[in-house]
């Protein structure tokens, strides 16, 4: 079986972003499928990258009309630049043909501009999360995941998370064993635990679409050692349990319990990296009842023990 992948390039594109889907799919048989990978742009000819060299583009947007998978591997760092009407139309036409549409890193901005993500969940590079949420309020931003699928569309977090997204596509279509084989050939983990929040120095920017929840979340972040039940937290937000649960999921892309666990784990990471506190002390400060519980959740989330994590940064 053959599948055609069309990767979109634009003036000033990062060669790394362009190469991520190309190196994942190009020149290999994956399962029972041969992927034909081609790069296109709005116009054929030489296209400058941001690395000081140019690449020759031999396909234009008509490539989208036959592609099984359309990948927008990035976008301009000046995200105020909107995709052209021709690009939007080509993506929508491909979507109508049931092609899979992928937006890696800032490529999520292009998918968002088409309206395909309205009412769906999406992600992008954490540094642009606040801007993305403000520009596209109809999209449920899941700012701390590495990638997320919404129907025929997928979006990923920044830079190397594009590899995670591409491997997840292979895993979905061909199974874990095949995805693991591709990951081994690329010398990358077949599946990274956790989300992009583990790489963020400052908290993820938030929009002001729900100031009450935003304020409550910030208050909880300042005292993660306290006990929090859904009913008590909903009362504090002046909401019923049902309304709080629904609005919190819309705001963060996850349940309150999952969000609280992630926040506690991310806080513990900072303590591991910047303090000499014992594991037992960190567990208590981060809101875990015992160090055993803390070690379990940390290893389950990040694939390493707290001690191993600390050694990486010390």
């Amino acid at each position: 079986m053959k599948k055609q992948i069309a990767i979109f390039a634009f003036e000033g594109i990062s060669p790394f972003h362009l190469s991520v889907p190309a190196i994942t799919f190009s020149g290999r048989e994956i399962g029972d499928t041969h992927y034909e990978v081609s790069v296109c742009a709005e116009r054929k000819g030489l296209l400058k990258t941001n690395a000081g060299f140019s690449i020759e583009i031999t396909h234009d947007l008509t490539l989208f009309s036959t592609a099984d998978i359309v990948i927008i591997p990035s976008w301009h760092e000046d995200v105020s630049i909107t995709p052209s009407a021709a690009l939007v139309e080509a993506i929508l036409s491909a979507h109508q043909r049931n092609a899979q549409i992928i937006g890696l890193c800032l490529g999520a901005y292009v998918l968002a501009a088409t309206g395909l993500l309205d009412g769906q969940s999406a992600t992008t590079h954490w540094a642009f999360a606040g801007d993305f949420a403000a520009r596209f309020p109809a999209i449920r931003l899941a700012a701390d995941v590495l990638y997320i699928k919404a129907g025929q569309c997928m979006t990923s977090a920044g830079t190397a998370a594009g590899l995670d997204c591409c491997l997840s596509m292979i895993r979905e279509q061909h199974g874990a064993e095949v995805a693991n084989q591709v990951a081994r050939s690329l010398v990358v983990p077949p599946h990274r635990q956790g989300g992009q929040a583990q790489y963020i120095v400052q908290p993820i920017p938030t929009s002001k679409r729900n100031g009450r929840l935003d304020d409550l979340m910030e208050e909880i972040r300042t005292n993660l050692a306290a006990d929090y039940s859904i009913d008590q937290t909903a009362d504090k937000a002046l909401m019923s349990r049902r309304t709080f649960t629904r609005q919190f999921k819309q705001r963060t892309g996850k349940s309150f319990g999952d969000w609280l666990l992630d926040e506690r784990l991310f806080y513990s990471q900072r303590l591991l990296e910047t303090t000499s506190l014992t594991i037992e002390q960190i567990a208590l400060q981060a809101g875990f009842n015992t160090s055993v519980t803390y070690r379990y959740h940390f290893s389950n989330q990040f694939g390493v023990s707290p001690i191993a994590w600390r050694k990486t940064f010390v």
Side-chain angles (χ1 to χ4, degrees), residues 36-142:
E36 297 180 348
V37 179
S38 302
V39 177
C40 69
E42 296 204 40
R43 289 173 294 279
K44 300 177 184 179
L46 287 180
L47 184 149
K48 292 181 180 179
T49 70
N50 68 356
F53 60 84
S54 298
I55 56 177
E56 184 176 0
I57 303 297
T58 58
H59 298 279
D60 58 21
L61 289 176
T62 57
L63 189 66
F64 283 13
S65 63
T66 56
D68 300 290
I69 301 172
V70 170
I71 300 179
I72 314 297
S74 185
W75 191 236
H76 303 277
E77 287 196 16
D78 179 1
V79 291
S80 64
I81 298 174
T82 57
S84 69
L87 176 56
V88 169
E89 179 57 34
I91 292 172
L92 290 175
S93 295
H95 186 267
Q96 289 173 355
R97 291 190 301 98
N98 292 320
Q100 192 170 9
I101 313 296
I102 314 297
L104 304 178
C105 193
L106 298 183
Y109 275 81
V110 179
L111 269 63
T114 68
L116 291 175
L117 298 178
D118 287 357
Q120 305 290 334
S121 295
T123 191
T124 190
H125 193 293
W126 66 266
F128 292 82
D131 178 84
F132 188 92
R135 287 177 186 269
F136 306 107
I139 299 172
R140 296 192 294 271
L141 178 66

Side-chain angles (χ1 to χ4, degrees), residues 230 234 239-251 254-256:
I230 293 181
M239 299 178 188
S240 67
R241 179 190 177 105
R242 181 176 180 181
T243 299
F244 173 78
T245 300
R246 174 175 53 81
Q247 291 196 15
F248 197 91
K249 183 69 176 290
Q250 291 175 344
R251 183 69 186 84
K254 59 184 69 174
S255 70
F256 174 71

Side-chain angles (χ1 to χ4, degrees), residues 80-280:
S80 64
I81 298 174
T82 57
S84 69
L87 176 56
V88 169
E89 179 57 34
I91 292 172
L92 290 175
S93 295
H95 186 267
Q96 289 173 355
R97 291 190 301 98
N98 292 320
Q100 192 170 9
I101 313 296
I102 314 297
L104 304 178
C105 193
L106 298 183
Y109 275 81
V110 179
L111 269 63
T114 68
L116 291 175
L117 298 178
D118 287 357
Q120 305 290 334
S121 295
T123 191
T124 190
H125 193 293
W126 66 266
F128 292 82
D131 178 84
F132 188 92
R135 287 177 186 269
F136 306 107
I139 299 172
R140 296 192 294 271
L141 178 66
D144 62 351
V145 300
L146 292 176
Y147 54 85
I148 193 166
K149 184 176 182 181
Q152 293 168 234
C153 298
M154 286 188 74
T155 51
S156 85
T159 317
L163 279 169
D164 298 281
C165 184
C166 290
L167 287 172
S168 76
M169 293 166 57
I170 294 173
R171 189 180 306 111
E172 180 178 307
Q173 295 175 20
H174 303 287
E177 183 176 351
V178 173
N180 291 348
Q181 291 172 357
V182 175
R184 281 195 293 270
S185 72
L186 297 173
V187 198
V188 296
H191 177 67
R192 284 194 289 169
Q193 296 291 333
Q196 63 173 326
Q198 61 189 292
Y199 305 104
I200 303 171
V201 177
Q202 298 297 327
I204 296 171
T206 57
S207 72
K208 292 299 182 182
R209 286 184 292 144
N210 194 324
R212 187 181 299 168
L213 280 181
D214 289 341
D215 291 343
L216 180 60
M217 289 158 65
E218 284 304 313
E219 181 180 336
I220 292 173
R221 287 189 181 106
T222 64
N223 187 18
L224 288 167
D227 290 328
Y228 297 99
S229 70
I230 293 181
D231 289 330
Q232 291 174 337
T233 310
D235 288 342
K236 197 161 190 177
L238 304 180
M239 299 178 188
S240 67
R241 179 190 177 105
R242 181 176 180 181
T243 299
F244 173 78
T245 300
R246 174 175 53 81
Q247 291 196 15
F248 197 91
K249 183 69 176 290
Q250 291 175 344
R251 183 69 186 84
T252 66
K254 59 184 69 174
S255 70
F256 174 71
D258 288 343
W259 175 85
L260 181 60
L261 175 60
D262 286 347
E263 290 295 324
R264 285 172 164 162
L265 289 172
F266 300 149
Y267 176 55
S268 78
Q269 284 180 320
R270 295 197 293 274
L271 295 177
L272 288 168
E273 296 165 19
T274 61
T275 75
S276 59
L277 294 173
T278 66
I279 299 302
E280 289 72 19

Side-chain angles (χ1 to χ4, degrees), residues 14-33:
S14 157
F16 178 84
H17 288 96
L18 186 61
S19 69
V20 164
I23 198 172
T24 304
F25 292 100
S26 185
R28 67 173 81 238
E29 300 290 330
I30 300 177
D32 60 352
T33 303

